[in-house]
Amino acid sequence: MGKTVDAALIGVVVLLEALVIFLNSSSGENTFQMMVYGVTFSPLRLVMFLGAAITTIMLVTIHLKDSGEYAHIFYLLSVSTVAVWILNSRVPNMDSFLAFIQESLGKIGVQASIQTETAFYVYLLVLLLLITSFFYSTPRRSRELGFIVFGVLFSAPFFRSLVYPPTPELIGITAFMISISLMTSLVFSPRGVGLLSQTLILSIVTVVAIAIEPWNIVLLVAFILTFPRKKRNIAYVVLVLLGFGAALRAGLVWSPHIPGLTFKLVFSQLLLPIALIGYSLLFRSDVIIPILKNSKGPTPFLVLLLVVFLIGSITTPRLLPYVAITLTLLSIRLVFHTRDTGRIIVRKEESSKT
């Protein structure tokens, strides 16, 4: 019965999404019209993009099905929400995003003319990876909490301005989120090939995060201090340092410029995670304090990141998005820790027998 209900819910979500997209495209008003800006769609590229996006969504949905209570449904809702938002927005200015891709490819020796259509597809895939990373940054058996992470961050106007229109900073933020998701929840394969591939993927996304925002080097420091010093972790640190050195020599390391960010603006839009942390510390201190005293694990890892980014944002306001991300993730983890896991709920059938 449970599987039937799950399948029905997925079907309803997909049907509603298809209906909304169809109505938006047929109305022709305030919809996403690329032709207005002289951008043409190649059927082959469009099919390739849709194939990659749909495959990713299906695989993640299937994987999340056993990773929390209706986590897969919340994931589909998150993706659908952003899809409708994009479709009902005007065409974003792709100039800076396209220029960044072409410049980066040129520095590594790839001379290619990237079309605006291709850059747009890359942007949408990066956005999909960002949403996916929200769900994998939460505790392994409570992935549905990723919907709260999504809601808190996307409800903040300053964060939405970083996501749309696309900027190079979006790539750095996404790589940062993926790094955190893998560090805090990845179960490394015991096999050599699987272990090597997972370590390489984690190293690559961390190098990208550091290359776009050098302050993200704190990921390595926090990882070394709060996670066990196993051989695979040492290999990860070495690979990231080597990759960062190569990016530095190629001129791929740069500091983003995000104008208009202030403490007052950002923190006024993050009252919910601040309130959640305050609640956890004031009313569930008996549970939270022992966890914070522990120097190992995902929660101390996020605490260390938050402290560093808070201090750094005093003189470097461009770090405030990273403050917002770590603050939100930490608040969700603290609320997760405060749940009552020790209480035994007796079913009515069992209680009637006693």
Side-chain angles (χ1 to χ4, degrees):
M1 181 67 181
K3 292 184 178 180
T4 304
V5 174
D6 288 349
L9 285 173
I10 295 175
V12 169
V13 171
V14 173
L15 180 62
L16 289 176
E17 176 61 17
L19 181 62
V20 169
I21 292 176
F22 173 76
L23 293 176
N24 283 337
S25 60
S26 62
S27 66
E29 182 178 357
N30 294 327
T31 56
F32 208 86
Q33 300 177 19
M34 295 290 287
M35 290 298 295
V36 175
Y37 287 76
V39 179
T40 57
F41 285 103
S42 165
L44 178 60
R45 292 195 187 97
L46 181 58
V47 169
M48 291 176 62
F49 161 72
L50 290 177
I54 293 174
T55 301
T56 300
I57 293 172
M58 288 180 59
L59 291 176
V60 173
T61 302
I62 294 172
H63 187 264
L64 287 176
K65 195 175 186 305
D66 298 322
S67 301
E69 190 173 359
Y70 294 113
H72 55 306
I73 300 297
F74 286 124
Y75 175 72
L76 288 176
L77 288 175
S78 301
V79 173
S80 301
T81 300
V82 173
V84 172
W85 173 47
I86 294 292
L87 287 169
N88 284 279
S89 302
R90 292 188 178 274
V91 180
N93 186 341
M94 301 294 299
D95 292 343
S96 63
F97 193 78
L98 178 58
F100 172 78
I101 295 176
Q102 290 181 330
E103 181 182 354
S104 300
L105 291 176
K107 288 182 177 180
I108 61 175
V110 178
Q111 301 299 329
S113 178
I114 307 298
Q115 297 184 1
T116 304
E117 178 194 3
T118 303
F120 177 63
Y121 292 151
V122 172
Y123 160 61
L124 293 181
L125 289 175
V126 170
L127 194 56
L128 177 60
L129 291 177
L130 177 64
I131 298 171
T132 303
S133 66
F134 289 155
F135 285 81
Y136 285 96
S137 64
T138 56
R140 190 173 294 113
R141 290 299 175 185
S142 298
R143 301 294 195 198
E144 70 278 1
L145 295 176
F147 188 67
I148 302 179
V149 178
F150 166 78
V152 169
L153 291 176
F154 270 77
S155 66
F158 90 91
F159 191 84
R160 292 200 304 273
S161 67
L162 299 175
V163 173
Y164 184 93
T167 59
E169 289 77 21
L170 174 62
I171 298 178
I173 290 174
T174 302
F176 175 78
M177 274 299 310
I178 295 175
S179 298
I180 289 181
S181 300
L182 294 177
M183 289 177 182
T184 57
S185 62
L186 182 62
V187 177
F188 284 91
S189 172
R191 298 180 180 179
V193 177
L195 178 60
L196 178 61
S197 61
Q198 291 173 343
T199 306
L200 283 175
I201 293 173
L202 178 55
S203 303
I204 290 172
V205 293
T206 305
V207 169
V208 173
I210 298 173
I212 294 182
E213 175 50 72
W215 272 81
N216 284 334
I217 195 71
V218 70
L219 283 169
L220 280 185
V221 179
F223 184 79
I224 293 172
L225 294 177
T226 58
F227 285 92
R229 293 177 177 83
K230 297 183 178 180
K231 291 182 178 180
R232 63 170 181 259
N233 296 346
I234 297 175
Y236 158 71
V237 173
V238 173
L239 287 174
V240 171
L241 292 177
L242 291 175
F244 177 69
L248 193 61
R249 291 188 60 182
L252 292 173
V253 178
W254 67 301
S255 296
H257 176 65
I258 308 177
L261 289 182
T262 62
F263 262 96
K264 182 179 180 180
L265 172 67
V266 173
F267 280 93
S268 64
Q269 298 176 17
L270 294 174
L271 293 179
L272 177 58
I274 293 174
L276 289 177
I277 292 178
Y279 162 80
S280 301
L281 294 176
L282 290 176
F283 299 102
R284 299 304 303 271
S285 58
D286 56 328
V287 178
I288 298 302
I289 290 179
I291 294 173
L292 294 179
K293 286 182 177 180
N294 184 13
S295 60
K296 302 295 180 181
T299 302
F301 172 74
L302 291 172
V303 171
L304 184 54
L305 288 181
L306 179 60
V307 171
V308 173
F309 285 130
L310 273 174
I311 296 174
S313 62
I314 296 175
T315 57
T316 312
R318 70 170 189 267
L319 296 180
L320 288 173
Y322 297 95
V323 172
I325 291 172
T326 51
L327 180 71
T328 302
L329 295 180
L330 179 61
S331 67
I332 299 302
R333 285 213 171 246
L334 292 184
V335 171
F336 169 78
H337 288 311
T338 59
R339 76 198 191 290
D340 188 3
T341 57
R343 186 178 50 163
I344 300 177
I345 301 176
V346 181
R347 295 180 180 180
K348 292 182 179 180
E349 295 83 355
E350 296 177 352
S351 61
S352 60
K353 295 178 181 180
T354 56

